[in-house]
Amino acid sequence: MKTYKGIFILLLLLLVFGLAGCGDEKTVTNVGKLHFENPLKIPQLLEPTIGNDGTKHFTLTMQSGTTEFLPGKMADTWGINGSYLGPTIKASRGDKVAFDVVNHLDVASTIHWHGMKLPAVMDGGPHQMIEAGETWSPNWTIDQPAATDWYHPHVHGKTAQHVYRGLAGLFLIDDKDSKKLPSDYGVDDIPLIVQDKLFTSDGQLSEKDDTTFGTLGNEILVNGTYDPFLKVTASQVRFRLLNASNARAYHFGFTDGRSFQLVANDAGLLQKPVTLNRVMLSPGERAEMVVTFKPGEETILRSYSEGSGIENGEFDLLKIVAASKLTASTPVAGQLSTVPPIEVPKDARVRQFKMTMESMINDKKMKMNRIDEVVPAGTREIWEIDNFGWSHNFHIHDAAFQVLDINGKKPPEYERGRKDTVFIPNGSTVRLAVEFGNYPDPSHPLMYHCHILRHEDDGMMGQFLLVEPGTESQVSTQLPKNNHEYQHTNHH
Ligand SMILES: [Cu+2]
């Protein structure tokens, strides 16, 4: 009798744990599989030519090519001025910048300046298509605080594919505050563009996208380098982290448990550095950290698994080796940003956005000729985002915001800086104090959307106009159907 009871309990336990096991997504990992053999590639700084009026002119050429990621195997890739990713652009607040964006691909694409405050026609969204063989030449004046911004295509329905194949690069903005931090690019100011990839057995990028979130890779590239290491030569190094993945989120930390100083969110420096040992970035988000090294020591930058879906996966990203002699750096300043925080007026307009499992915002899918919101240019508003299912995040063009609260609670200190992209956990409400750009244009829309690229491509996006205050009711919320730009993006 006793034995039967024992066997019965054993079977019951097996059943319970077996089922629990099935419901649990297995953690994807590369830990233990890497050798840290390849020196980390650092994207080149793009040298501008300087015009008579001081304008910095840059040329970016989108092209196809081949790239060796896995040793001895060539992959077909896309890049900008090269075969994979693009050069780093650097400019200072107050600079006039101008671009020639040349499309040498055989399909139409765009380049969007993620995080930039600029006129809507310069934004590079889905209405500024660059046909194969054509050149697009936007220009504007940089007028925003120092930040680690980036650029990438924004073709409606094709963004995931174009970014995944390699079209992305960094756009660094300097000001007097950012110079307080290590700023020798490639020496003590190191970009880390983190992307997950799936590879086929012959080393090609696999575009298999059979999850709700699109492609979720099991291998990681940093600045397009597989299995990378970095030798540092300074006692304090500033790392600029960009999550340029289509869907995956990362919880960055170091395997020796060391802490670091977080000094910036997406759209600007923090008021004061915050000591942390983990920071999470969802797709499109950036952060800057300063890490202190002792001569000769080694550590590994790792992303830790914190959940399911886009937060599932434990990945070694980069081995960092400190040289036996390090140049001494000045300690990080106690006061970083001198820009006042974004405060909304008492009577600020509140707009609500409901994100749902069906990749909709406010029960609508993106339409190229429909305007969803009309916002007075230069104003500050409260945007309230509710997530009713899956993981999503939220990005607003031509704006910067600060998180007011998450489910009614103030965000942690390290998330109180200026941002343009924010993670919206499943079932949560996030309220944002948004500061909009000041370039009224009643006929060219800007976008707000989920930055999980599959969701964005599926239509989890809306369009807004920034207009002269007081003219909100006078503008048309329908764009003409025969709009030249509209037709370009309407047949893919
Ligand atoms: Cu989403």
Side-chain angles (χ1 to χ4, degrees):
M1 213 36 203
K2 245 188 178 161
T3 342
Y4 284 132
K5 205 173 164 188
I7 290 168
F8 177 73
I9 288 170
L10 192 70
L11 282 173
L12 200 71
L13 284 174
L14 277 174
L15 190 70
V16 168
F17 282 98
L19 284 176
C22 288
D24 229 34
E25 252 175 286
K26 221 174 92 200
T27 298
V28 189
T29 187
N30 69 356
V31 173
K33 286 193 286 192
L34 299 184
H35 306 282
F36 308 106
E37 289 178 323
N38 303 314
L40 179 75
K41 291 176 196 159
I42 305 289
Q44 275 200 336
L45 271 184
L46 185 58
E47 281 299 324
T49 57
I50 312 291
N52 289 336
D53 64 345
T55 300
K56 293 181 173 171
H57 289 266
F58 298 92
T59 302
L60 296 176
T61 304
M62 298 189 262
Q63 56 196 72
S64 59
T66 53
T67 307
E68 183 181 347
F69 295 121
L70 305 183
K73 294 176 175 178
M74 298 307 285
D76 297 321
T77 53
W78 287 359
I80 299 147
N81 301 2
S83 72
Y84 189 78
L85 294 179
T88 297
I89 295 152
K90 208 171 174 180
S92 297
R93 188 170 193 171
D95 280 351
K96 286 184 200 154
V97 294
F99 288 85
D100 283 323
V101 184
V102 187
N103 184 357
H104 278 177
L105 299 169
D106 54 14
V107 295
S109 191
T110 79
I111 289 292
H112 161 62
W113 319 100
H114 183 129
M116 200 64 70
K117 287 199 176 175
L118 37 50
V121 282
M122 310 297 176
D123 189 52
H127 294 275
Q128 285 89 43
M129 294 296 286
I130 315 165
E131 293 296 316
E134 283 185 3
T135 297
W136 177 58
S137 302
N139 67 87
W140 69 96
T141 300
I142 307 273
D143 185 19
Q144 64 190 85
T148 299
D149 284 348
W150 65 302
Y151 59 91
H152 63 78
H154 211 301
V155 187
H156 189 38
K158 293 281 183 193
T159 297
Q161 186 190 61
H162 288 207
V163 174
Y164 187 79
R165 290 182 178 183
L167 300 180
L170 284 166
F171 197 138
L172 313 182
I173 301 173
D174 268 339
D175 66 9
K176 61 177 184 1
D177 291 336
S178 65
K179 303 237 164 81
K180 298 172 196 166
L181 293 165
S183 299
D184 193 354
Y185 183 81
V187 178
D188 61 9
D189 180 357
I190 309 274
L192 300 176
I193 304 170
V194 181
Q195 300 176 298
D196 61 327
K197 299 291 173 191
L198 280 176
F199 287 103
T200 64
S201 56
D202 55 351
Q204 295 281 355
L205 292 179
S206 162
E207 292 182 13
K208 193 170 113 201
D209 62 348
D210 53 0
T211 84
T212 317
F213 306 103
T215 305
L216 281 173
N218 56 0
E219 303 283 4
I220 305 290
L221 301 178
V222 183
N223 301 345
T225 324
Y226 174 73
D227 202 9
F229 76 91
L230 172 71
K231 191 169 179 181
V232 294
T233 55
S235 63
Q236 299 220 54
V237 179
R238 172 191 193 175
F239 291 104
R240 299 177 188 255
L241 294 164
L242 161 64
N243 181 351
S245 303
N246 283 27
R248 200 175 275 293
Y250 302 94
H251 295 261
F252 296 96
F254 291 93
T255 50
D256 58 2
R258 73 176 55 213
S259 55
F260 50 85
Q261 287 175 289
L262 200 83
V263 293
N265 291 150
D266 316 315
L269 300 176
L270 300 178
Q271 302 285 322
K272 291 178 168 62
V274 181
T275 302
L276 292 177
N277 47 32
R278 288 274 201 288
V279 64
M280 187 258 198
L281 295 182
S282 69
E285 286 186 292
R286 291 88 67 209
E288 296 177 30
M289 55 159 78
V290 174
V291 186
T292 304
F293 293 99
K294 293 192 193 88
E297 67 176 353
E298 292 183 4
T299 188
I300 292 167
L301 179 67
R302 181 175 286 176
S303 174
Y304 293 86
S305 191
E306 297 281 338
S308 59
I310 65 168
E311 295 186 77
N312 175 30
E314 185 158 297
F315 299 101
D316 280 343
L317 306 173
L318 175 71
K319 181 174 175 176
I320 304 171
V321 183
S324 53
K325 261 196 171 167
L326 299 175
T327 47
S329 325
T330 46
V332 174
Q335 177 73 38
L336 293 168
S337 174
T338 54
V339 179
I342 300 169
E343 270 163 16
V344 290
K346 279 214 169 65
D347 59 347
R349 166 110 192 232
V350 181
R351 294 181 206 249
Q352 285 171 312
F353 299 89
K354 187 175 84 177
M355 303 183 100
T356 48
M357 242 191 278
E358 299 77 27
S359 285
M360 293 205 265
I361 299 177
N362 289 345
D363 302 314
K364 291 178 285 186
K365 292 256 186 187
M366 156 84 171
K367 261 190 128 176
M368 288 289 286
N369 65 333
R370 185 192 65 224
I371 301 298
D372 301 287
E373 304 290 335
V374 181
V375 177
T379 48
R380 294 170 174 208
E381 297 190 344
I382 292 174
W383 281 29
E384 182 180 311
I385 327 294
D386 290 291
N387 178 356
F388 286 84
W390 300 125
S391 290
H392 303 294
N393 68 5
F394 199 81
H395 168 50
I396 311 175
H397 290 208
D398 200 3
F401 55 72
Q402 278 178 237
V403 180
L404 285 173
D405 44 55
I406 304 164
N407 295 326
K409 278 200 268 184
K410 253 186 119 164
E413 223 182 320
Y414 67 88
E415 272 181 3
R416 291 183 198 168
R418 295 168 73 90
K419 293 179 63 60
D420 54 56
T421 308
V422 63
F423 186 56
I424 317 285
N426 191 354
S428 333
T429 299
V430 177
R431 291 195 322 139
L432 310 171
V434 192
E435 173 192 275
F436 289 93
N438 207 354
Y439 303 97
D441 183 338
S443 47
H444 294 92
L446 293 153
M447 312 288 137
Y448 54 84
H449 58 89
C450 178
H451 216 286
I452 292 171
L453 300 183
R454 154 64 77 83
H455 294 177
E456 176 184 337
D457 283 341
D458 278 354
M460 200 166 201
M461 177 153 63
Q463 305 196 104
F464 69 102
L465 291 171
L466 285 180
V467 300
E468 207 67 66
T471 66
E472 294 92 301
S473 58
Q474 296 158 28
V475 300
S476 169
T477 52
Q478 281 290 115
L479 297 177
K481 273 242 182 186
N482 59 358
N483 186 322
H484 169 76
E485 297 159 327
Y486 171 66
Q487 288 188 344
H488 280 168
T489 50
N490 201 23
H491 46 69
H492 47 249

